[in-house]
Amino acid sequence: MKNSNLRKAAREKNDEFYTQLVDIEKEIKNYKEYLAGKVVLCNCDDPEKSNFWKYFYMNFDLIGLKKLISTHYKPSTILDISEQAYKLEYDGKEIIRTNLRGEGDFRSEECVDILKQADVVCTNPPFSLFREYVKQLMDYEKKFLIIGNMNAITYKEVFLLIKNNKMWLGVDNNGTKWFRVPDHYDIATESRKKIENGIKFFSMGSVMWFTNLDNKKRHEDLTLGKKYNKTDYPKYDNYDAINVDKTSDIPVDYDGAMGVPITFLDKYNPDQFEIVGLGISNSGLDIGVRPYKPEHKKYRKEIQKRGAVDGDLYMMVNGEVEVPYARIIIKKK
Ligand SMILES: C[S@@+](CC[C@H](N)C(=O)[O-])C[C@H]1O[C@@H](n2cnc3c(N)ncnc32)[C@H](O)[C@@H]1O
């Protein structure tokens, strides 16, 4: 196989994991008012396997949906010609199955035509194509509720949407979620796999819902109980902000810029805080995070033997360079 095909196959393999009904239910119940009378599209969903299709099909009348559409992806690298990618549509009365002309790639012309008919897109898309997936939703001005990896927050384009309040996190982002995976799926860490009734599951603790549908949670204020002091909240060496290690430690009495973990977004209320930027690499440079001082860069690379990317926030702690994991810079409003 050509290298590009191998890469495609590896990616496809890692993208094959299925959301459980319980997780879908927990999230979607928060948005029923936005779904009533709407056309919902699940465009990375083999209806035979997808609980998104199952959830909307079972709750069609309860939610008051207008139409449900699901498209199935059947890539050509998998040497199985027994099945053609297809589309399933349900209007509350009958299910219509139509073969697609191509593979069911969400970016294909025929799938984009289907996207245009949808009011709300709801799925767990392939993580490897998350940037492109979100960009397409924004380009076509769609409402959406989708699952993604927490690290997607640090993608420049994704972060900008969050910063500009064009996209935010959903409600149920905490804890571990289990996903059904194909039997052949390799899972190296024992604690992250389980088999129940012969079905293999894989756990992930860092998946989040991303949406542009409003929810109550993002209007709730975060209760702040800690007071600022210089010892617990050191300043960065290369940016005028204090470092806060845990969202629950955000001091109530500090009005300047603060660097907080990306999980802060799960508690982010745009009426309470303003997002200034992301303190890593180019995103950091964009907001004025100063590049490493030469002696600190040298120390980081040669003594600590770690990456030293300009634009990353760092602190000096007892004469050593300390680089916290990705920080979002926020300010109280
Ligand atoms: C993370 S899985 C989730 C499946 C399903 N949405 C669910 O939540 O159970 C992502 C799915 O996207 C499909 N997929 C991968 N690349 C795709 C593409 N370019 N267009 C449409 N679907 C794709 C994969 O086959 C895979 O089933």
Side-chain angles (χ1 to χ4, degrees):
M1 237 195 285
K2 278 199 331 213
N3 263 351
S4 60
N5 277 349
L6 276 174
R7 271 198 302 277
K8 192 177 170 200
R11 199 173 61 206
E12 271 149 14
K13 190 171 153 257
N14 291 333
D15 280 334
E16 243 19 86
F17 51 92
Y18 304 98
T19 317
Q20 291 204 84
L21 197 54
V22 55
D23 291 319
I24 294 171
E25 268 168 347
K26 259 197 236 165
E27 186 65 24
I28 295 183
K29 69 174 187 209
N30 300 292
Y31 307 91
K32 287 200 174 132
E33 62 194 287
Y34 300 109
L35 296 168
K38 302 290 191 228
V39 176
V40 168
L41 170 66
C42 311
N43 57 354
C44 297
D45 294 83
D46 176 351
E48 277 178 18
K49 295 184 184 144
S50 166
N51 284 316
F52 280 95
W53 165 270
K54 190 170 176 181
Y55 175 84
F56 286 117
Y57 177 72
M58 287 186 333
N59 292 285
F60 195 95
D61 291 332
L62 196 73
I63 302 174
L65 288 181
K66 185 173 171 194
K67 192 175 182 183
L68 170 62
I69 313 174
S70 182
T71 51
H72 163 226
Y73 176 60
K74 187 75 189 166
S76 55
T77 47
I78 293 174
L79 295 175
D80 172 7
I81 49 162
S82 60
E83 201 185 6
Q84 171 67 34
Y86 64 97
K87 167 178 80 167
L88 224 52
E89 289 168 286
Y90 181 59
D91 61 1
K93 293 188 200 79
E94 57 171 347
I95 295 180
I96 299 176
R97 179 183 164 130
T98 321
N99 276 352
L100 294 171
R101 292 189 302 278
E103 298 179 341
D105 190 316
F106 67 85
R107 299 160 291 188
S108 64
E109 202 183 327
E110 64 180 330
C111 286
V112 169
D113 282 343
I114 298 168
L115 175 69
K116 287 180 189 162
Q117 299 164 32
D119 298 309
V120 184
V121 179
C122 193
T123 189
N124 174 358
F127 284 6
S128 60
L129 298 173
F130 194 77
R131 277 192 187 88
E132 260 183 89
Y133 188 84
V134 170
K135 182 176 183 308
Q136 179 167 299
L137 292 176
M138 299 311 298
D139 287 349
Y140 288 92
E141 298 181 355
K142 291 298 158 185
K143 292 288 179 197
F144 60 86
L145 177 60
I146 59 172
I147 290 181
N149 192 294
M150 181 175 77
N151 285 332
I153 293 170
T154 63
Y155 303 162
K156 198 171 176 180
E157 312 82 336
V158 171
F159 183 78
L160 276 180
L161 294 174
I162 296 175
K163 177 179 179 310
N164 295 329
N165 282 317
K166 295 217 157 74
M167 175 168 91
W168 44 88
L169 294 189
V171 176
D172 177 36
N173 305 305
N174 272 323
T176 296
K177 288 187 176 58
W178 288 90
F179 294 86
R180 185 162 67 79
V181 289
D183 292 342
H184 62 265
Y185 215 82
D186 271 342
I187 305 169
T189 316
E190 273 310 306
S191 58
R192 294 182 68 186
K193 69 176 153 192
K194 70 175 180 185
I195 295 178
E196 266 179 15
N197 302 323
I199 298 172
K200 196 168 186 178
F201 290 91
F202 169 54
S203 79
M204 280 188 267
S206 54
V207 290
M208 298 187 149
W209 289 92
F210 292 82
T211 187
N212 57 359
L213 296 173
D214 206 4
N215 62 50
K216 281 203 194 104
K217 189 176 156 189
R218 68 188 285 264
H219 298 293
E220 286 164 8
D221 270 357
L222 175 64
T223 312
L224 308 175
K226 296 273 168 89
K227 294 247 177 183
Y228 168 72
N229 65 75
K230 280 188 175 162
T231 320
D232 293 335
Y233 302 98
K235 276 209 164 166
Y236 299 113
D237 204 65
N238 55 347
Y239 189 76
D240 185 16
I242 58 166
N243 180 59
V244 181
D245 278 330
K246 283 194 279 174
T247 300
S248 55
D249 288 347
I250 294 174
V252 65
D253 53 351
Y254 193 82
D255 291 329
M258 303 178 268
V260 296
I262 52 177
T263 45
F264 158 81
L265 288 180
D266 189 36
K267 306 276 187 280
Y268 169 50
N269 170 356
D271 298 324
Q272 187 181 17
F273 295 102
E274 169 200 346
I275 296 179
V276 179
L278 180 65
I280 55 170
S281 65
N282 284 337
S283 301
L285 293 174
D286 286 352
I287 54 162
V289 173
R290 292 181 295 280
Y292 273 92
K293 284 182 191 142
E295 66 274 25
H296 293 157
K297 190 158 194 159
K298 194 166 171 337
Y299 179 83
R300 178 89 178 147
K301 277 185 164 169
E302 292 176 11
I303 310 291
Q304 294 187 325
K305 301 212 181 307
R306 308 291 291 271
V309 178
D310 286 337
D312 285 358
L313 292 162
Y314 70 91
M315 303 168 279
M316 294 307 295
V317 180
N318 302 327
E320 298 198 349
V321 177
E322 196 173 301
V323 181
Y325 185 69
R327 291 287 190 257
I328 292 175
I329 302 290
I330 59 162
K331 264 186 182 168
K332 280 214 265 37
K333 273 198 164 167

